[in-house]
Amino acid sequence: MKKTIIIGIAFWLAGLSPAFGADNWPVPEEYNVMDNPVEFNNQNVRAGRDIYDKNCKSCHGDPGNYNALPLVPPPPDAASEIMQANSDGQLYYKITIGRGAMPQFETTLGSDDIWRAITYIRRFDPRNEGKLVEEALRKGKIYALVGNYNSTIDIVAEEELTDNNIPLSNTTIFVRAKKTFGNLLVGSITTDENGRASYAIPQDMKVKSDGQVDFILSLNDDFETVTFSVSGVQVKQPDSNVELPRVLWSTNDRTQIWLLFTYFAALIGGWTVIGYVILQIYKLFRLGRNNKP
Amino acid sequence: MIQKKSPEEARKSLDLIFHDLTRSLRVKDELSRFWLFILIMFCIVGVWAWGYQIKEGLGITGMRDYVSWGMYISNFVFFVAVSLIGLLISSIMHLLKIHWAQPISRVAEQVAIAAVGLAGLIIVMDMGRPDRFLNVFLHGRFASPIIWDVTVITTYLVISLLLFYLPLIPDLALMRDRLKGKIPEIQYKIYDILSLGYRGNAQQFKIIYHSLRTLMLLIIPVGLAIHTVTSWLFAATLRPGWDTTIFGPYFVAGAFVAGTAAVIQVMYVYRVRYKLKNYFNDEIFDRMGKTLVFVCLVYLYFNINEFLVPGYKMKTAEGIHLTELFTGKSAPIFWFTQIGGLVLPILLLLIRYFRKPFPLTFIALVTLVASWFKRYIIVVPTLEHPFLPVQNVPEHFVHYSPTNPEITITLFAFFAALLILTALAKLFPVITIWEYAEHQGIEKKIMFNEYEN
Amino acid sequence: MNNANSRRNFLKMAGLTAASAGVAASAGFLSSCNRIEAVEGDRIKLLTSSGELVEVDRASLTPAEIPSLTENQKRGRAGLPGRKWVMVIDLARCRNARKCMEACQTHHQLRPEQHHMNVLQMKDAENTSPYYMPKPCMHCDNPPCTKVCPVNATFKREDGIVLIDNERCIGCRFCIAACPYSARVFNWLEPRDSEKYVGVTYNIEANVPQKKGTISKCLFSADRLRDGKLPSCVSACPNSVYWFGDQNEDAVTNGTTGETVSFSNLIRDNAGYTLLEELGTKPRVYYLPPKGRAFPYQGEIHPS
């Protein structure tokens, strides 16, 4: 126990001490020379970005925006010199092992994903400036209608070229359902050669009690962000007002009948007898008055 | 067995009995004034402490979020327990025609009234918002044991008052007939009004007798309910130490122990103070001693059940609780309640010598004190060991220790109860005169004949 | 509505931006009745849903947003229709950062020792590994606390939240005794900053202002849910510990990453469980076991 406390205090002091900043995080020798096995290309950077957004952004912030959380020691921005001064292997070590407020990602992320995240971080390395030629994002459009008695969503997707629009064939459309606090990916469907697809709404889909759901359709990362909403799809009958059960923990209006009956029967019974005795005392009083000598 | 006395003898004997039993009304010496002064002072201090508590909040007590019930609730349970003696002596023993207990039935009722009245007050003092007490009636939730408790306590108080009043009516009539001019006019007026013009005729007596029988029957379920429901305040929760099915009878049995011990104290004081040696005689003390042994044996049986069964299994949460009681911090109090409050009275009171008034009173006092601590040991240790660890709170949240204002308010309850007892003893005879006289072979005709038309 | 009354009214704002926009828009109107405003000092205290107490000019606010105390209590008792709120706590991700506790105490006007949300250090058995466990109210579907309340001051709404009406509570503390999770706190003394909250109308869904001699506990930030926001603790966590959502929709959203997943899948795939389920309280808060932890256990230490 004592040992734990001492170690704990050491950790805490380490966290407080500015000398023990990001630069002063010792990394074992063998990591310094490690190479990133993941190729530095657009696809991997994009994959890395998704991993970064999900696992790192909450503390480190948006790269280049310097909006990291004010923790001690401060989590460096991904684009900062402190971050970029690390070698790939050093980053890998730190992400894997963690320290203080920095999680140990070896338990939650695979090494491929960690390397992809590093690849994404490296995109903000000034030395990598201009190395990646961003492919121009394609422009797409989605239209959709609810069809076949609310059991499908019929989708048409097309690509906007400079002069005309052509059907988007063999493209994945992501279907998300709008939930209270975010959108839930419920499925995806690939368009046919005419750019059409018919998404079958899952029959066991769970929705709000009104039975309605808003769908949001989108294209993949090759396209400029484009979404199409299909709102208020009635996928279920609205829940009719079911009579609520009578339960012990509820308020008086929904408490059990037997309980009310027992309570009031006992109450009325007892007080009727008391009332009867009080009546007798009154009788006694009347008698006494009549008996006055 | 009761020899009828000649009218002459009877009248003389009645005069003596009346004189003895109204002595409590007449005693007005320095000691009684001092006693009254002490009681009133403590009551004022207690009420002041309560005012302070209302102003500052319950935070002035030692209770906190984990041990959220402390001395007040222990005290409440203790007083509810003591009040149950009214049921045992003035109802059950009467109905079973146990005659030796007849002279102490009024003492039992006095104790019951004082205790149940105070129990009601203590529970209000324990409330965070006593100003909202009426919410209990305005918004009462019928599934809550507290509502049941409020209901039965009110009912029990009313029945106890009636059970005190009904046998008092003939006594009041006797005092009206015999004390004119000997007591202050106002006091006489009160007796006159309260006696309801009782003349001892058959019709009037029948009404009283009939009403008494009815109440004696009614108080049995109500009396059992009051303590059973109080036990449910604990047993209705999921906590180790409280989550048990025997709490109802366990509490009822414990209540008889506390109540018997309390009545013995009051009997002894009356015997000495009001020179009632011949009334609260050695035989009654002897029999009360045997009663105490009997109720202690019953309670011991429940205690063995309550602790041996879970102690045999030592389930996780129960185990922590029981270890705490058997060998932990609460062990001294626990063993005091078991040995001082149960084993010793049982063993000692089997010996005739210890059933004599003074030794019995002393042993019963120890039992009474142990009874109070027994309630404390039921309420507090369970709360000190919740299912989840107590963390991130100051040290005084973890362990309960009562504060001075809290102890003051707790003491207030005792002094207020004693004040009620004193007032009742000063105003009314401590033994039912007519009933006692009747047992001495004095006919009702002689008691009230002066005014018989 | 007269001034004295309306000043007492509790206001909920969609956000401070809306209020400042209102100030700008009504600047012309304000200047015309400047004198009255100055005399009356007609400023009003309001509580933002993040728990900040601000004082703004009454004229800058639209009266439609003012729910009266009775209205507030009524809708607070009814709850949000068609919802079944559920929380999932991922024990593998908790570092004992206590941002949830801080946010909660700010939102609900709690003293430092009062915890609606308490991060406990748990160790289940002698040889098992210790872990951090954030512990809110479980919002049980068979709540032992509402079962015993003598005056209906605590009750379960149809959206699953167990709420408290501290205008009704008599302070008997039976609910504290009944709760096996030690989720309830009592205002033993004057609540924190109570002088600042004088005149603020009670909001049952945040249980603010707190009152001396009454109970308080976690409410899933019911006032924020009404505004479509995640509870304070969920939003405040930097380590993706909390998932929150509507069980009817079978979706929970992570307060840190904003990711939304299927509730049933999350529970199934991670062997989710409820606390002390043997007691039959049927909690609405689920835990994911501390397997594959994001942080090593560090004992008492919780560096910010």
Side-chain angles (χ1 to χ4, degrees):
Chain A
M1 187 65 210
K2 208 167 183 182
K3 208 169 166 186
T4 346
I5 291 171
I6 292 168
I7 294 171
I9 290 170
F11 263 105
W12 184 62
L13 286 176
L16 279 184
S17 154
F20 215 105
D23 297 319
N24 219 338
W25 186 347
V27 175
E29 208 47 45
E30 64 268 30
Y31 284 91
N32 289 333
V33 290
M34 238 178 179
D35 271 333
N36 189 343
V38 171
E39 197 191 334
F40 187 69
N41 63 24
N42 273 321
Q43 202 195 339
N44 284 333
V45 166
R46 221 181 280 143
R49 185 193 62 198
D50 291 344
I51 294 160
Y52 179 91
D53 285 353
K54 209 172 137 183
N55 297 286
C56 322
K57 199 174 134 180
S58 62
C59 293
H60 290 274
D62 303 300
N65 286 3
Y66 291 87
N67 56 354
L69 276 189
L71 303 175
V72 183
D77 191 280
S80 66
E81 267 179 51
I82 300 175
M83 183 76 90
Q84 296 296 343
N86 287 285
S87 72
D88 283 355
Q90 284 169 329
L91 284 177
Y92 183 83
Y93 172 79
K94 292 177 180 179
I95 294 171
T96 315
I97 302 302
R99 181 187 65 163
M102 173 76 184
Q104 43 185 21
F105 281 103
E106 63 177 343
T107 54
T108 43
L109 290 179
S111 68
D112 281 2
D113 282 347
I114 295 177
W115 283 121
R116 282 193 194 97
I118 294 169
T119 310
Y120 173 65
I121 292 167
R122 282 290 177 236
R123 195 174 89 66
F124 302 97
D125 188 343
R127 285 165 293 180
N128 283 339
E129 199 75 51
K131 258 194 193 170
L132 276 187
V133 185
E134 288 270 356
E135 297 162 38
L137 290 176
R138 296 156 70 188
K139 280 185 180 175
K141 251 200 163 125
I142 312 170
Y143 304 97
L145 274 174
V146 183
N148 208 3
Y149 299 102
N150 289 334
S151 68
T152 59
I153 300 174
D154 298 330
I155 305 162
V156 183
E158 56 183 28
E159 181 166 11
E160 291 182 349
L161 300 177
T162 36
D163 38 358
N164 66 325
N165 294 356
I166 56 158
L168 254 185
S169 55
N170 291 319
T171 310
T172 307
I173 311 265
F174 295 104
V175 184
R176 289 185 166 80
K178 195 169 181 300
K179 302 291 188 183
T180 317
F181 302 107
N183 301 330
L184 175 69
L185 183 68
V186 287
S188 62
I189 190 159
T190 312
T191 55
D192 62 10
E193 61 273 20
N194 299 321
R196 286 169 183 276
S198 181
Y199 175 74
I201 297 171
Q203 288 307 296
D204 56 350
M205 197 165 176
K206 291 219 173 162
V207 294
K208 286 177 299 188
S209 58
D210 61 2
Q212 294 190 354
V213 63
D214 299 351
F215 286 102
I216 294 156
L217 309 173
S218 59
L219 292 170
N220 65 25
D221 286 346
D222 295 338
F223 293 85
E224 279 181 14
T225 313
V226 56
T227 57
F228 187 88
S229 308
V230 188
S231 302
V233 185
Q234 193 78 44
V235 297
K236 279 218 172 89
Q237 290 298 315
D239 283 348
S240 50
N241 278 334
V242 202
E243 204 181 316
L244 293 159
R246 291 187 172 274
V247 281
L248 202 55
W249 47 259
S250 78
T251 49
N252 278 343
D253 48 321
R254 277 199 287 123
T255 207
Q256 280 113 325
I257 300 287
W258 65 259
L259 185 127
L260 291 178
F261 179 79
T262 315
Y263 176 82
F264 282 105
L267 185 74
I268 293 168
W271 280 87
T272 308
V273 176
I274 292 176
Y276 170 76
V277 170
I278 289 171
L279 191 75
Q280 296 301 306
I281 292 174
Y282 178 70
K283 240 182 180 172
L284 210 56
F285 167 71
R286 291 281 299 271
L287 270 175
R289 228 176 31 182
N290 298 340
N291 270 358
K292 266 233 159 84
Chain B
M1 69 198 178
I2 299 162
Q3 296 240 315
K4 246 191 183 164
K5 290 189 167 111
S6 69
E8 204 53 30
E9 249 182 329
R11 222 166 262 132
K12 247 169 96 182
S13 159
L14 179 66
D15 284 347
L16 182 71
I17 292 170
F18 185 83
H19 181 263
D20 283 346
L21 293 183
T22 52
R23 192 175 291 121
S24 68
L25 278 63
R26 293 193 306 271
V27 176
K28 280 195 181 68
D29 53 8
E30 276 306 303
L31 187 62
S32 60
R33 263 181 235 126
F34 178 69
W35 174 239
L36 221 60
F37 171 77
I38 293 279
L39 290 182
I40 290 168
M41 281 316 287
F42 268 97
C43 286
I44 289 171
V45 171
V47 170
W48 172 81
W50 187 25
Y52 174 64
Q53 177 181 295
I54 289 171
K55 190 170 146 276
E56 296 294 318
L58 278 172
I60 62 148
T61 67
M63 296 184 280
R64 284 299 181 267
D65 290 340
Y66 295 90
V67 186
S68 62
W69 282 348
M71 257 193 164
Y72 296 157
I73 295 287
S74 318
N75 215 20
F76 164 73
V77 180
F78 174 76
F79 273 92
V80 172
V82 167
S83 77
L84 208 60
I85 195 64
L87 160 76
L88 180 69
I89 290 177
S90 52
S91 160
I92 294 178
M93 288 198 178
H94 252 261
L95 291 173
L96 293 178
K97 297 195 163 54
I98 296 173
H99 291 297
W100 65 263
Q102 177 267 318
I104 56 172
S105 67
R106 184 161 292 160
V107 177
E109 274 317 314
Q110 285 179 344
V111 170
I113 289 169
V116 79
L118 259 297
L121 191 59
I122 293 164
I123 210 74
V124 175
M125 288 174 147
D126 184 65
M127 281 166 59
R129 299 295 301 236
D131 53 315
R132 294 183 184 167
F133 179 71
L134 281 182
N135 277 7
V136 171
F137 302 101
L138 296 174
H139 303 290
R141 208 180 136 268
F142 303 117
S144 170
I146 286 191
I147 293 298
W148 308 341
D149 216 21
V150 169
T151 312
V152 287
I153 285 182
T154 319
T155 312
Y156 188 79
L157 178 61
V158 171
I159 298 177
S160 293
L161 285 171
L162 288 173
L163 265 183
F164 181 77
Y165 177 58
L166 278 171
L168 190 66
I169 293 173
D171 280 4
L172 287 164
L174 279 173
M175 292 195 290
R176 175 203 60 201
D177 295 346
R178 289 159 169 265
L179 290 178
K180 189 160 176 83
K182 291 179 194 157
I183 52 170
E185 189 56 30
I186 179 93
Q187 198 177 351
Y188 179 80
K189 198 88 196 148
I190 291 170
Y191 295 153
D192 187 24
I193 293 168
L194 287 180
S195 66
L196 302 178
Y198 186 83
R199 296 282 172 261
N201 59 40
Q203 204 183 358
Q204 284 172 320
F205 181 75
K206 207 181 143 205
I207 290 175
I208 289 183
Y209 181 77
H210 182 67
S211 304
L212 267 176
R213 298 290 286 195
T214 313
L215 284 179
M216 282 174 193
L217 286 172
L218 179 64
I219 202 173
I220 294 174
V222 175
L224 290 178
I226 165 176
H227 217 55
T228 308
V229 170
T230 303
S231 82
W232 289 349
L233 298 186
F234 306 98
T237 70
L238 299 159
R239 299 202 177 235
W242 292 354
D243 182 9
T244 139
T245 52
I246 69 159
F247 250 35
Y250 176 57
F251 270 45
V252 171
F256 288 143
V257 175
T260 309
V263 164
I264 292 172
Q265 307 304 307
V266 179
M267 274 163 55
Y268 187 76
V269 172
Y270 289 165
R271 171 184 157 108
V272 174
R273 186 85 183 98
Y274 304 132
K275 304 189 175 65
L276 298 175
K277 238 179 196 147
N278 298 331
Y279 300 85
F280 296 120
N281 54 26
D282 286 14
E283 192 212 338
I284 291 184
F285 275 88
D286 185 75
R287 291 194 190 254
M288 279 304 272
K290 285 175 182 163
T291 308
L292 190 57
V293 173
F294 175 70
V295 291
C296 278
L297 277 171
V298 175
Y299 195 39
L300 182 68
Y301 167 72
F302 278 111
N303 269 281
I304 290 168
N305 271 282
E306 172 64 11
F307 293 108
L308 188 95
V309 174
Y312 191 84
K313 292 175 281 195
M314 283 297 196
K315 281 194 283 188
T316 320
E318 297 272 354
I320 294 168
H321 173 67
L322 291 175
T323 312
E324 164 82 18
L325 288 186
F326 295 158
T327 53
K329 192 168 66 86
S330 306
I333 301 182
F334 176 78
W335 291 114
F336 168 63
T337 61
Q338 295 300 324
I339 294 169
L342 287 172
V343 178
L344 271 187
I346 291 171
L347 293 181
L348 290 181
L349 295 180
L350 288 176
I351 302 161
R352 179 182 287 275
Y353 167 77
F354 288 108
R355 295 200 298 271
K356 291 205 172 303
F358 181 75
L360 173 66
T361 308
F362 183 76
I363 292 167
L365 182 63
V366 175
T367 310
L368 191 65
V369 173
S371 294
W372 190 90
F373 279 102
K374 176 73 185 162
R375 273 59 193 180
Y376 185 86
I377 214 82
I378 287 172
V379 175
V380 175
T382 284
L383 287 168
E384 281 182 337
H385 297 283
F387 285 104
L388 299 175
V390 180
Q391 288 172 4
N392 309 324
V393 287
E395 182 57 29
H396 66 286
F397 274 53
V398 184
H399 299 293
Y400 171 71
S401 57
T403 60
N404 286 338
E406 195 177 3
I407 294 168
T408 310
I409 292 174
T410 303
L411 283 178
F412 157 82
F414 286 98
F415 286 102
L418 289 178
L419 188 64
I420 293 176
L421 277 180
T422 309
L424 290 176
K426 293 274 173 209
L427 283 175
F428 308 111
V430 294
I431 292 177
T432 314
I433 301 173
W434 64 272
E435 210 176 15
Y436 186 83
E438 212 171 24
H439 276 279
Q440 302 303 314
I442 302 164
E443 282 176 280
K444 275 199 239 14
K445 218 163 63 194
I446 290 172
M447 286 186 240
F448 301 101
N449 66 349
E450 281 104 306
Y451 301 94
E452 200 74 65
N453 298 330
Chain C
M1 187 184 290
N2 64 39
N3 271 353
N5 245 340
S6 57
R7 214 177 311 148
R8 286 176 169 272
N9 272 316
F10 175 82
L11 285 149
K12 197 180 295 140
M13 306 189 309
L16 275 174
T17 40
S20 46
V23 172
S26 58
F29 170 71
L30 268 181
S31 56
S32 63
C33 47
N34 217 357
R35 205 165 298 155
I36 306 166
E37 299 295 329
V39 171
E40 290 290 302
D42 205 0
R43 293 177 72 75
I44 178 163
K45 280 179 193 160
L46 8 114
L47 200 64
T48 64
S49 47
S50 59
E52 269 171 286
L53 193 66
V54 293
E55 205 176 334
V56 297
D57 208 289
R58 195 172 61 87
S60 67
L61 298 155
T62 27
E65 288 183 85
I66 309 174
S68 69
L69 174 62
T70 356
E71 183 50 38
N72 190 293
Q73 279 173 312
K74 204 176 140 199
R75 74 176 196 189
R77 279 181 180 265
L80 295 159
R83 301 295 197 173
K84 276 275 179 255
W85 302 115
V86 67
M87 183 186 265
V88 181
I89 299 176
D90 187 349
L91 298 176
R93 308 205 60 100
C94 183
R95 184 177 65 84
N96 200 15
R98 304 198 172 188
K99 296 291 172 201
C100 49
M101 291 167 70
E102 283 168 34
C104 173
Q105 291 187 325
T106 313
H107 184 180
H108 298 294
Q109 195 204 340
L110 298 173
R111 284 164 170 266
E113 71 273 15
Q114 292 180 304
H115 306 294
H116 285 183
M117 170 64 81
N118 197 357
V119 182
L120 301 177
Q121 291 159 49
M122 299 289 288
K123 196 170 187 308
D124 293 336
E126 202 181 338
N127 296 317
T128 59
S129 163
Y131 58 93
Y132 299 115
M133 187 183 81
K135 186 214 65 187
C137 165
M138 298 292 141
H139 295 277
C140 307
D141 278 346
N142 180 19
C145 51
T146 71
K147 220 182 250 180
V148 297
C149 179
V151 292
N152 245 325
T154 186
F155 51 88
K156 192 169 173 70
R157 320 201 296 186
E158 267 161 46
D159 59 4
I161 297 182
V162 175
L163 215 65
I164 288 165
D165 184 348
N166 81 11
E167 289 285 341
R168 172 81 64 90
C169 176
I170 59 169
C172 68
R173 312 189 297 293
F174 199 178
C175 52
I176 294 191
C179 177
Y181 301 101
S182 310
R184 288 173 169 258
V185 297
F186 190 72
N187 285 301
W188 298 99
L189 297 160
E190 226 23 275
R192 180 178 101 179
D193 300 335
S194 58
E195 67 286 350
K196 278 196 206 162
Y197 286 82
V198 174
V200 176
T201 305
Y202 175 58
N203 180 4
I204 192 171
E205 290 184 326
N207 204 29
V208 169
Q210 298 277 355
K211 278 180 200 67
K212 185 179 74 184
T214 62
I215 291 281
S216 188
K217 71 167 196 67
C218 160
L219 321 149
F220 274 171
S221 298
D223 56 332
R224 284 173 62 97
L225 295 179
R226 190 174 285 281
D227 293 348
K229 291 183 191 160
L230 288 166
S232 299
C233 50
V234 175
S235 309
C237 177
N239 293 320
S240 323
V241 173
Y242 297 102
W243 300 84
F244 192 87
D246 180 357
Q247 196 175 7
N248 285 343
E249 288 184 338
D250 191 35
V252 283
T253 302
N254 191 290
T256 313
T257 63
E259 192 189 353
T260 301
V261 300
S262 154
F263 164 71
S264 48
N265 288 353
L266 184 69
I267 291 300
R268 188 193 58 212
D269 297 345
N270 295 288
Y273 66 92
T274 55
L275 203 55
L276 302 175
E277 47 201 297
E278 67 274 19
L279 298 180
T281 50
K282 300 184 190 153
R284 297 208 69 75
V285 175
Y286 290 77
Y287 286 93
L288 305 183
K291 180 175 183 298
R293 294 196 220 176
F295 301 95
Y297 180 79
Q298 290 177 36
E300 282 289 337
I301 307 305
H302 47 95
S304 59

